[in-house]
Amino acid sequence: MSRLNPDRTALIGLAGSQGSGKSTLSRVLADELGGVTLSLDDVYLTKAERQAQARALHPLFVTRGPPLTHDLRLLTRTLEALSQATEDDVTPLPAFDKLADDRRPREDWPLYQGRPPFILLEGWCMGVQPQPDEALATPVNALEITHDPHGHWRGAINEALKADYADLYARLDGLVFLQAPSFERVLDWRCQQEAELLGVSTLKPERRREIGDFIAYFERLTRWMLNGGIGADVVVSLDHQRRPLAISGGRSISGR
């Protein structure tokens, strides 16, 4: 992470699959070290905007999560406001209500005063690289077979990764990747998270199936990232219990 500069606000990316612990880790680091954390989950397009996106591009874009369902202009404005703030400036931080599946009203956004020494930007697809065009030809799961047989959805996502998302990732001073042991573990982690929130030991089978259907939207790029399709500076390999097994220098397929 040689691009860190003490004279300006550093922007550090934190990537990891659903349930990998990136949100908890980023909050702890920000609280302990005096920075601020932002999440891609909080800059999703509004429900109305995703419905419009679904009509214009592909019906699958109504579901939040994949690239092209984020408001990167809102994120960029927030990053710039934080980076340029004086000690008296107050910056609203976007917030998304997942239960309502919509952005929270602006008056409910948390506020950050001053200019933080660093910003931790976390998200499941932070730093993911575009796939080779030939990799898009074959569906990876039933969702793509049934709802994206011609590859228009995944093709649009891949083009976005070459453009606006690449511009965002190029702003990073460093990127840390929490690497799950496998994609199959992601479903277990995601179900474990929800069970803990509900105060139960295990989820009902039908709810587990629903979560499995949801993470199918993330499967293609998650598998790609686990196989090296991410320009990370540091890779933290996790075991099945999310415990770090090894920390190594990242491998960038983009030559960054």
Side-chain angles (χ1 to χ4, degrees), residues 87-146:
E87 63 181 11
D88 295 323
D89 288 335
V90 175
T91 303
L93 306 180
F96 193 88
D97 185 340
K98 291 183 178 179
L99 289 178
D101 194 24
D102 213 345
R103 190 176 300 157
R104 294 185 184 276
R106 189 178 178 88
E107 58 267 23
D108 294 338
W109 293 5
L111 303 175
Y112 186 90
Q113 182 172 344
R115 181 174 72 86
F118 64 88
I119 301 168
L120 280 172
L121 179 57
E122 61 94 354
W124 76 273
C125 61
M126 287 297 300
V128 64
Q129 303 295 306
Q131 290 189 287
D133 291 340
E134 58 270 21
L136 303 177
T138 304
V140 300
N141 55 26
L143 173 76
E144 292 187 0
I145 292 172
T146 304

Short mmCIF file of all heavy atoms in Angstrom, two decimals, residues 87-146:
data_model
loop_
_atom_site.label_atom_id
_atom_site.label_comp_id
_atom_site.label_asym_id
_atom_site.label_seq_id
_atom_site.Cartn_x
_atom_site.Cartn_y
_atom_site.Cartn_z
N GLU A 87 -12.37 20.84 9.66
CA GLU A 87 -12.71 20.26 10.95
C GLU A 87 -14.12 20.59 11.39
O GLU A 87 -14.71 19.90 12.24
CB GLU A 87 -11.71 20.71 12.01
CG GLU A 87 -11.69 22.21 12.27
CD GLU A 87 -10.68 22.61 13.32
OE1 GLU A 87 -9.85 21.77 13.70
OE2 GLU A 87 -10.74 23.77 13.77
N ASP A 88 -14.71 21.64 10.80
CA ASP A 88 -16.07 22.03 11.19
C ASP A 88 -17.14 21.48 10.24
O ASP A 88 -18.34 21.59 10.54
CB ASP A 88 -16.19 23.56 11.24
CG ASP A 88 -15.31 24.17 12.32
OD1 ASP A 88 -15.20 23.55 13.40
OD2 ASP A 88 -14.75 25.26 12.09
N ASP A 89 -16.74 20.94 9.11
CA ASP A 89 -17.71 20.44 8.14
C ASP A 89 -18.35 19.16 8.65
O ASP A 89 -17.72 18.33 9.31
CB ASP A 89 -17.04 20.17 6.79
CG ASP A 89 -16.67 21.44 6.06
OD1 ASP A 89 -17.32 22.47 6.32
OD2 ASP A 89 -15.72 21.41 5.25
N VAL A 90 -19.63 18.99 8.30
CA VAL A 90 -20.37 17.78 8.65
C VAL A 90 -20.83 17.12 7.35
O VAL A 90 -21.49 17.76 6.53
CB VAL A 90 -21.57 18.10 9.55
CG1 VAL A 90 -22.40 16.84 9.80
CG2 VAL A 90 -21.11 18.69 10.88
N THR A 91 -20.48 15.86 7.19
CA THR A 91 -20.82 15.13 5.97
C THR A 91 -21.87 14.06 6.25
O THR A 91 -21.64 13.18 7.08
CB THR A 91 -19.57 14.45 5.38
OG1 THR A 91 -18.55 15.43 5.14
CG2 THR A 91 -19.90 13.75 4.07
N PRO A 92 -23.02 14.11 5.57
CA PRO A 92 -24.00 13.02 5.71
C PRO A 92 -23.47 11.76 5.02
O PRO A 92 -22.95 11.82 3.90
CB PRO A 92 -25.24 13.57 4.99
CG PRO A 92 -24.99 15.03 4.80
CD PRO A 92 -23.51 15.20 4.70
N LEU A 93 -23.62 10.63 5.66
CA LEU A 93 -23.17 9.35 5.12
C LEU A 93 -24.40 8.55 4.66
O LEU A 93 -25.29 8.26 5.46
CB LEU A 93 -22.40 8.56 6.18
CG LEU A 93 -21.21 9.28 6.83
CD1 LEU A 93 -20.56 8.37 7.86
CD2 LEU A 93 -20.22 9.76 5.78
N PRO A 94 -24.46 8.18 3.39
CA PRO A 94 -25.64 7.47 2.88
C PRO A 94 -25.95 6.22 3.70
O PRO A 94 -25.05 5.57 4.24
CB PRO A 94 -25.23 7.10 1.45
CG PRO A 94 -24.19 8.11 1.08
CD PRO A 94 -23.45 8.39 2.34
N ALA A 95 -27.23 5.90 3.78
CA ALA A 95 -27.67 4.72 4.53
C ALA A 95 -28.82 4.06 3.78
O ALA A 95 -29.69 4.73 3.22
CB ALA A 95 -28.11 5.12 5.93
N PHE A 96 -28.82 2.73 3.78
CA PHE A 96 -29.82 1.94 3.06
C PHE A 96 -30.56 1.05 4.04
O PHE A 96 -29.96 0.45 4.94
CB PHE A 96 -29.14 1.09 1.98
CG PHE A 96 -30.08 0.48 0.98
CD1 PHE A 96 -30.46 1.17 -0.16
CD2 PHE A 96 -30.59 -0.79 1.19
CE1 PHE A 96 -31.33 0.59 -1.08
CE2 PHE A 96 -31.46 -1.37 0.28
CZ PHE A 96 -31.82 -0.67 -0.86
N ASP A 97 -31.86 0.95 3.89
CA ASP A 97 -32.71 0.11 4.74
C ASP A 97 -32.99 -1.19 3.98
O ASP A 97 -33.79 -1.22 3.05
CB ASP A 97 -34.02 0.84 5.06
CG ASP A 97 -34.91 0.07 6.03
OD1 ASP A 97 -34.72 -1.15 6.17
OD2 ASP A 97 -35.78 0.70 6.63
N LYS A 98 -32.32 -2.27 4.38
CA LYS A 98 -32.47 -3.53 3.65
C LYS A 98 -33.85 -4.15 3.85
O LYS A 98 -34.34 -4.85 2.96
CB LYS A 98 -31.37 -4.50 4.06
CG LYS A 98 -30.00 -4.07 3.59
CD LYS A 98 -28.93 -5.09 3.95
CE LYS A 98 -27.58 -4.65 3.41
NZ LYS A 98 -26.50 -5.62 3.76
N LEU A 99 -34.47 -3.92 4.99
CA LEU A 99 -35.82 -4.45 5.20
C LEU A 99 -36.82 -3.79 4.27
O LEU A 99 -37.70 -4.46 3.71
CB LEU A 99 -36.24 -4.26 6.66
CG LEU A 99 -35.52 -5.13 7.69
CD1 LEU A 99 -36.01 -4.80 9.09
CD2 LEU A 99 -35.74 -6.62 7.39
N ALA A 100 -36.68 -2.48 4.08
CA ALA A 100 -37.56 -1.76 3.16
C ALA A 100 -37.08 -1.86 1.72
O ALA A 100 -37.80 -1.50 0.80
CB ALA A 100 -37.64 -0.29 3.56
N ASP A 101 -35.84 -2.36 1.54
CA ASP A 101 -35.22 -2.47 0.22
C ASP A 101 -35.17 -1.12 -0.48
O ASP A 101 -35.43 -1.00 -1.66
CB ASP A 101 -35.97 -3.48 -0.65
CG ASP A 101 -35.17 -3.88 -1.88
OD1 ASP A 101 -33.93 -3.77 -1.85
OD2 ASP A 101 -35.80 -4.29 -2.89
N ASP A 102 -34.83 -0.08 0.31
CA ASP A 102 -34.80 1.26 -0.25
C ASP A 102 -33.85 2.13 0.57
O ASP A 102 -33.54 1.81 1.73
CB ASP A 102 -36.19 1.88 -0.25
CG ASP A 102 -36.42 2.81 -1.43
OD1 ASP A 102 -35.44 3.21 -2.10
OD2 ASP A 102 -37.59 3.14 -1.70
N ARG A 103 -33.43 3.22 -0.02
CA ARG A 103 -32.53 4.14 0.68
C ARG A 103 -33.28 4.85 1.80
O ARG A 103 -34.45 5.21 1.65
CB ARG A 103 -31.96 5.16 -0.32
CG ARG A 103 -30.83 6.01 0.26
CD ARG A 103 -30.27 6.92 -0.82
NE ARG A 103 -29.74 6.14 -1.93
CZ ARG A 103 -29.59 6.62 -3.17
NH1 ARG A 103 -29.94 7.85 -3.44
NH2 ARG A 103 -29.10 5.84 -4.10
N ARG A 104 -32.59 5.04 2.91
CA ARG A 104 -33.19 5.77 4.02
C ARG A 104 -33.34 7.25 3.66
O ARG A 104 -32.56 7.78 2.87
CB ARG A 104 -32.33 5.64 5.28
CG ARG A 104 -32.26 4.23 5.84
CD ARG A 104 -31.48 4.21 7.15
NE ARG A 104 -31.32 2.87 7.65
CZ ARG A 104 -32.23 2.23 8.38
NH1 ARG A 104 -33.36 2.84 8.70
NH2 ARG A 104 -32.02 0.99 8.81
N PRO A 105 -34.32 7.92 4.23
CA PRO A 105 -34.44 9.37 4.01
C PRO A 105 -33.15 10.07 4.45
O PRO A 105 -32.51 9.67 5.42
CB PRO A 105 -35.62 9.77 4.90
CG PRO A 105 -36.39 8.51 5.11
CD PRO A 105 -35.38 7.41 5.11
N ARG A 106 -32.80 11.13 3.75
CA ARG A 106 -31.54 11.81 4.01
C ARG A 106 -31.44 12.30 5.46
O ARG A 106 -30.35 12.29 6.04
CB ARG A 106 -31.39 13.01 3.04
CG ARG A 106 -30.00 13.66 3.09
CD ARG A 106 -29.89 14.79 2.07
NE ARG A 106 -28.60 15.45 2.15
CZ ARG A 106 -27.52 15.08 1.49
NH1 ARG A 106 -27.58 14.02 0.68
NH2 ARG A 106 -26.38 15.73 1.61
N GLU A 107 -32.56 12.68 6.03
CA GLU A 107 -32.51 13.18 7.42
C GLU A 107 -32.15 12.07 8.41
O GLU A 107 -31.81 12.36 9.57
CB GLU A 107 -33.84 13.81 7.81
CG GLU A 107 -35.05 12.91 7.71
CD GLU A 107 -35.75 13.02 6.35
OE1 GLU A 107 -35.09 13.43 5.37
OE2 GLU A 107 -36.95 12.71 6.29
N ASP A 108 -32.22 10.81 7.99
CA ASP A 108 -31.86 9.70 8.87
C ASP A 108 -30.43 9.21 8.65
O ASP A 108 -30.00 8.25 9.30
CB ASP A 108 -32.83 8.53 8.65
CG ASP A 108 -34.25 8.86 9.09
OD1 ASP A 108 -34.41 9.78 9.91
OD2 ASP A 108 -35.19 8.19 8.61
N TRP A 109 -29.70 9.84 7.74
CA TRP A 109 -28.33 9.42 7.49
C TRP A 109 -27.44 9.81 8.67
O TRP A 109 -27.61 10.91 9.25
CB TRP A 109 -27.78 10.05 6.22
CG TRP A 109 -28.43 9.61 4.95
CD1 TRP A 109 -29.50 8.77 4.83
CD2 TRP A 109 -28.07 10.00 3.63
NE1 TRP A 109 -29.83 8.62 3.51
CE2 TRP A 109 -28.97 9.36 2.75
CE3 TRP A 109 -27.08 10.84 3.11
CZ2 TRP A 109 -28.89 9.53 1.37
CZ3 TRP A 109 -27.00 11.01 1.74
CH2 TRP A 109 -27.89 10.35 0.87
N PRO A 110 -26.47 8.97 9.05
CA PRO A 110 -25.52 9.37 10.08
C PRO A 110 -24.62 10.49 9.58
O PRO A 110 -24.45 10.68 8.37
CB PRO A 110 -24.72 8.09 10.34
CG PRO A 110 -24.87 7.28 9.10
CD PRO A 110 -26.23 7.60 8.56
N LEU A 111 -24.06 11.25 10.52
CA LEU A 111 -23.22 12.40 10.16
C LEU A 111 -21.80 12.18 10.65
O LEU A 111 -21.56 11.59 11.70
CB LEU A 111 -23.79 13.68 10.79
CG LEU A 111 -25.23 14.03 10.44
CD1 LEU A 111 -25.69 15.24 11.23
CD2 LEU A 111 -25.40 14.26 8.94
N TYR A 112 -20.84 12.68 9.87
CA TYR A 112 -19.44 12.62 10.28
C TYR A 112 -18.88 14.04 10.23
O TYR A 112 -18.99 14.71 9.20
CB TYR A 112 -18.63 11.71 9.35
CG TYR A 112 -17.20 11.52 9.82
CD1 TYR A 112 -16.86 10.49 10.69
CD2 TYR A 112 -16.18 12.40 9.42
CE1 TYR A 112 -15.57 10.31 11.14
CE2 TYR A 112 -14.89 12.23 9.87
CZ TYR A 112 -14.58 11.19 10.73
OH TYR A 112 -13.30 11.03 11.19
N GLN A 113 -18.29 14.46 11.33
CA GLN A 113 -17.73 15.81 11.39
C GLN A 113 -16.22 15.77 11.18
O GLN A 113 -15.51 14.97 11.76
CB GLN A 113 -18.02 16.47 12.75
CG GLN A 113 -17.49 17.91 12.83
CD GLN A 113 -17.94 18.63 14.08
OE1 GLN A 113 -18.86 18.20 14.75
NE2 GLN A 113 -17.30 19.75 14.38
N GLY A 114 -15.74 16.70 10.33
CA GLY A 114 -14.32 16.84 10.10
C GLY A 114 -13.84 16.03 8.91
O GLY A 114 -14.63 15.46 8.15
N ARG A 115 -12.51 15.99 8.76
CA ARG A 115 -11.90 15.21 7.68
C ARG A 115 -11.24 13.98 8.30
O ARG A 115 -10.33 14.11 9.12
CB ARG A 115 -10.86 16.03 6.92
CG ARG A 115 -10.20 15.26 5.77
CD ARG A 115 -9.29 16.16 4.95
NE ARG A 115 -8.07 16.51 5.66
CZ ARG A 115 -6.96 15.75 5.65
NH1 ARG A 115 -6.94 14.60 4.99
NH2 ARG A 115 -5.89 16.15 6.30
N PRO A 116 -11.67 12.79 7.93
CA PRO A 116 -11.09 11.58 8.53
C PRO A 116 -9.68 11.33 8.00
O PRO A 116 -9.36 11.68 6.86
CB PRO A 116 -12.04 10.48 8.06
CG PRO A 116 -12.59 11.00 6.76
CD PRO A 116 -12.72 12.48 6.94
N PRO A 117 -8.82 10.71 8.80
CA PRO A 117 -7.49 10.35 8.30
C PRO A 117 -7.52 9.28 7.23
O PRO A 117 -6.63 9.19 6.39
CB PRO A 117 -6.76 9.86 9.56
CG PRO A 117 -7.86 9.42 10.48
CD PRO A 117 -9.01 10.34 10.21
N PHE A 118 -8.57 8.45 7.28
CA PHE A 118 -8.74 7.42 6.25
C PHE A 118 -10.21 7.06 6.13
O PHE A 118 -11.00 7.27 7.06
CB PHE A 118 -7.90 6.17 6.57
CG PHE A 118 -8.32 5.46 7.82
CD1 PHE A 118 -9.30 4.47 7.79
CD2 PHE A 118 -7.73 5.77 9.04
CE1 PHE A 118 -9.69 3.82 8.95
CE2 PHE A 118 -8.11 5.11 10.20
CZ PHE A 118 -9.10 4.14 10.16
N ILE A 119 -10.55 6.54 4.97
CA ILE A 119 -11.90 6.02 4.70
C ILE A 119 -11.75 4.55 4.37
O ILE A 119 -10.96 4.17 3.49
CB ILE A 119 -12.56 6.75 3.52
CG1 ILE A 119 -12.68 8.25 3.79
CG2 ILE A 119 -13.94 6.15 3.23
CD1 ILE A 119 -13.07 9.05 2.56
N LEU A 120 -12.50 3.70 5.07
CA LEU A 120 -12.57 2.28 4.74
C LEU A 120 -13.83 2.06 3.91
O LEU A 120 -14.94 2.27 4.39
CB LEU A 120 -12.61 1.43 6.00
CG LEU A 120 -11.28 1.17 6.71
CD1 LEU A 120 -11.52 0.48 8.05
CD2 LEU A 120 -10.37 0.31 5.84
N LEU A 121 -13.65 1.68 2.66
CA LEU A 121 -14.77 1.44 1.75
C LEU A 121 -14.90 -0.06 1.56
O LEU A 121 -14.05 -0.70 0.95
CB LEU A 121 -14.53 2.14 0.42
CG LEU A 121 -15.60 1.97 -0.66
CD1 LEU A 121 -16.96 2.43 -0.17
CD2 LEU A 121 -15.19 2.73 -1.92
N GLU A 122 -15.97 -0.62 2.16
CA GLU A 122 -16.11 -2.07 2.10
C GLU A 122 -17.27 -2.48 1.22
O GLU A 122 -18.27 -1.77 1.11
CB GLU A 122 -16.25 -2.65 3.52
CG GLU A 122 -17.46 -2.18 4.31
CD GLU A 122 -18.64 -3.12 4.20
OE1 GLU A 122 -18.59 -4.09 3.42
OE2 GLU A 122 -19.64 -2.84 4.88
N GLY A 123 -17.10 -3.63 0.59
CA GLY A 123 -18.14 -4.15 -0.28
C GLY A 123 -17.72 -5.49 -0.85
O GLY A 123 -16.53 -5.76 -1.03
N TRP A 124 -18.70 -6.32 -1.13
CA TRP A 124 -18.38 -7.68 -1.56
C TRP A 124 -17.63 -7.71 -2.89
O TRP A 124 -16.81 -8.61 -3.13
CB TRP A 124 -19.67 -8.51 -1.67
CG TRP A 124 -20.49 -8.20 -2.89
CD1 TRP A 124 -21.43 -7.23 -3.01
CD2 TRP A 124 -20.45 -8.88 -4.14
NE1 TRP A 124 -21.97 -7.24 -4.27
CE2 TRP A 124 -21.38 -8.25 -4.99
CE3 TRP A 124 -19.70 -9.94 -4.64
CZ2 TRP A 124 -21.60 -8.66 -6.30
CZ3 TRP A 124 -19.92 -10.36 -5.96
CH2 TRP A 124 -20.86 -9.71 -6.76
N CYS A 125 -17.86 -6.73 -3.75
CA CYS A 125 -17.24 -6.75 -5.08
C CYS A 125 -16.15 -5.70 -5.25
O CYS A 125 -15.74 -5.40 -6.38
CB CYS A 125 -18.29 -6.60 -6.16
SG CYS A 125 -19.23 -5.04 -6.10
N MET A 126 -15.65 -5.14 -4.16
CA MET A 126 -14.60 -4.15 -4.27
C MET A 126 -13.38 -4.74 -4.98
O MET A 126 -12.89 -5.80 -4.60
CB MET A 126 -14.18 -3.65 -2.88
CG MET A 126 -15.18 -2.75 -2.20
SD MET A 126 -15.46 -1.20 -3.09
CE MET A 126 -13.81 -0.52 -3.10
N GLY A 127 -12.92 -4.06 -6.01
CA GLY A 127 -11.71 -4.48 -6.70
C GLY A 127 -11.87 -5.59 -7.71
O GLY A 127 -10.87 -5.98 -8.35
N VAL A 128 -13.09 -6.10 -7.89
CA VAL A 128 -13.25 -7.19 -8.85
C VAL A 128 -12.93 -6.70 -10.26
O VAL A 128 -13.29 -5.58 -10.65
CB VAL A 128 -14.66 -7.79 -8.79
CG1 VAL A 128 -15.73 -6.79 -9.19
CG2 VAL A 128 -14.75 -9.04 -9.65
N GLN A 129 -12.25 -7.53 -11.03
CA GLN A 129 -11.85 -7.20 -12.40
C GLN A 129 -12.87 -7.73 -13.39
O GLN A 129 -13.58 -8.70 -13.10
CB GLN A 129 -10.48 -7.80 -12.69
CG GLN A 129 -9.39 -7.36 -11.72
CD GLN A 129 -9.12 -5.88 -11.80
OE1 GLN A 129 -8.83 -5.34 -12.86
NE2 GLN A 129 -9.21 -5.20 -10.67
N PRO A 130 -12.97 -7.14 -14.57
CA PRO A 130 -13.86 -7.70 -15.59
C PRO A 130 -13.41 -9.11 -15.98
O PRO A 130 -12.23 -9.43 -15.95
CB PRO A 130 -13.70 -6.73 -16.77
CG PRO A 130 -13.11 -5.49 -16.20
CD PRO A 130 -12.29 -5.92 -15.03
N GLN A 131 -14.37 -9.92 -16.34
CA GLN A 131 -14.04 -11.25 -16.84
C GLN A 131 -13.72 -11.21 -18.33
O GLN A 131 -14.21 -10.32 -19.05
CB GLN A 131 -15.22 -12.21 -16.62
CG GLN A 131 -15.48 -12.56 -15.16
CD GLN A 131 -16.51 -13.67 -15.05
OE1 GLN A 131 -17.70 -13.46 -15.28
NE2 GLN A 131 -16.05 -14.86 -14.69
N PRO A 132 -12.92 -12.14 -18.81
CA PRO A 132 -12.76 -12.27 -20.27
C PRO A 132 -14.12 -12.52 -20.90
O PRO A 132 -14.97 -13.21 -20.32
CB PRO A 132 -11.84 -13.49 -20.41
CG PRO A 132 -11.16 -13.64 -19.09
CD PRO A 132 -12.14 -13.15 -18.06
N ASP A 133 -14.33 -11.97 -22.08
CA ASP A 133 -15.65 -12.09 -22.72
C ASP A 133 -16.07 -13.54 -22.88
O ASP A 133 -17.26 -13.88 -22.74
CB ASP A 133 -15.63 -11.39 -24.07
CG ASP A 133 -15.53 -9.88 -23.94
OD1 ASP A 133 -15.85 -9.36 -22.86
OD2 ASP A 133 -15.13 -9.21 -24.91
N GLU A 134 -15.10 -14.44 -23.16
CA GLU A 134 -15.46 -15.84 -23.39
C GLU A 134 -15.97 -16.50 -22.11
O GLU A 134 -16.72 -17.49 -22.17
CB GLU A 134 -14.27 -16.62 -23.93
CG GLU A 134 -13.02 -16.61 -23.06
CD GLU A 134 -12.08 -15.46 -23.39
OE1 GLU A 134 -12.54 -14.46 -23.99
OE2 GLU A 134 -10.88 -15.58 -23.06
N ALA A 135 -15.62 -15.95 -20.93
CA ALA A 135 -16.09 -16.53 -19.67
C ALA A 135 -17.57 -16.27 -19.44
O ALA A 135 -18.19 -16.92 -18.60
CB ALA A 135 -15.27 -15.96 -18.51
N LEU A 136 -18.14 -15.31 -20.17
CA LEU A 136 -19.54 -14.96 -19.98
C LEU A 136 -20.48 -15.90 -20.72
O LEU A 136 -21.69 -15.90 -20.47
CB LEU A 136 -19.79 -13.53 -20.47
CG LEU A 136 -18.95 -12.42 -19.83
CD1 LEU A 136 -19.27 -11.08 -20.49
CD2 LEU A 136 -19.17 -12.35 -18.34
N ALA A 137 -19.94 -16.71 -21.61
CA ALA A 137 -20.79 -17.52 -22.48
C ALA A 137 -21.56 -18.59 -21.71
O ALA A 137 -22.72 -18.89 -22.04
CB ALA A 137 -19.94 -18.15 -23.58
N THR A 138 -20.94 -19.17 -20.70
CA THR A 138 -21.55 -20.30 -19.99
C THR A 138 -22.17 -19.85 -18.68
O THR A 138 -21.49 -19.27 -17.84
CB THR A 138 -20.49 -21.38 -19.70
OG1 THR A 138 -19.87 -21.78 -20.93
CG2 THR A 138 -21.14 -22.59 -19.04
N PRO A 139 -23.46 -20.09 -18.47
CA PRO A 139 -24.10 -19.74 -17.19
C PRO A 139 -23.45 -20.50 -16.04
O PRO A 139 -22.97 -21.62 -16.22
CB PRO A 139 -25.55 -20.18 -17.38
CG PRO A 139 -25.75 -20.25 -18.86
CD PRO A 139 -24.43 -20.67 -19.42
N VAL A 140 -23.43 -19.89 -14.85
CA VAL A 140 -22.80 -20.54 -13.70
C VAL A 140 -23.81 -21.17 -12.76
O VAL A 140 -23.43 -21.92 -11.86
CB VAL A 140 -21.92 -19.54 -12.91
CG1 VAL A 140 -20.82 -18.98 -13.77
CG2 VAL A 140 -22.76 -18.44 -12.28
N ASN A 141 -25.11 -20.84 -12.93
CA ASN A 141 -26.11 -21.40 -12.01
C ASN A 141 -27.49 -21.34 -12.66
O ASN A 141 -27.65 -20.85 -13.78
CB ASN A 141 -26.10 -20.66 -10.67
CG ASN A 141 -26.28 -19.15 -10.82
OD1 ASN A 141 -26.87 -18.68 -11.78
ND2 ASN A 141 -25.77 -18.39 -9.85
N ALA A 142 -28.46 -21.82 -11.92
CA ALA A 142 -29.83 -21.88 -12.45
C ALA A 142 -30.40 -20.50 -12.70
O ALA A 142 -31.20 -20.31 -13.63
CB ALA A 142 -30.73 -22.65 -11.48
N LEU A 143 -30.01 -19.51 -11.89
CA LEU A 143 -30.49 -18.15 -12.10
C LEU A 143 -30.12 -17.67 -13.50
O LEU A 143 -30.97 -17.12 -14.23
CB LEU A 143 -29.89 -17.21 -11.05
CG LEU A 143 -30.17 -15.72 -11.25
CD1 LEU A 143 -31.60 -15.40 -10.84
CD2 LEU A 143 -29.19 -14.87 -10.44
N GLU A 144 -28.88 -17.85 -13.88
CA GLU A 144 -28.43 -17.39 -15.20
C GLU A 144 -29.04 -18.22 -16.32
O GLU A 144 -29.39 -17.68 -17.38
CB GLU A 144 -26.91 -17.42 -15.27
CG GLU A 144 -26.24 -16.41 -14.35
CD GLU A 144 -24.74 -16.32 -14.54
OE1 GLU A 144 -24.18 -17.05 -15.39
OE2 GLU A 144 -24.12 -15.50 -13.84
N ILE A 145 -29.18 -19.51 -16.09
CA ILE A 145 -29.79 -20.37 -17.11
C ILE A 145 -31.23 -19.94 -17.39
O ILE A 145 -31.66 -19.82 -18.54
CB ILE A 145 -29.76 -21.85 -16.68
CG1 ILE A 145 -28.32 -22.37 -16.65
CG2 ILE A 145 -30.62 -22.71 -17.61
CD1 ILE A 145 -28.19 -23.75 -16.04
N THR A 146 -31.96 -19.68 -16.33
CA THR A 146 -33.39 -19.39 -16.45
C THR A 146 -33.68 -17.94 -16.81
O THR A 146 -34.53 -17.67 -17.67
CB THR A 146 -34.11 -19.73 -15.13
OG1 THR A 146 -33.85 -21.10 -14.79
CG2 THR A 146 -35.61 -19.51 -15.25
#
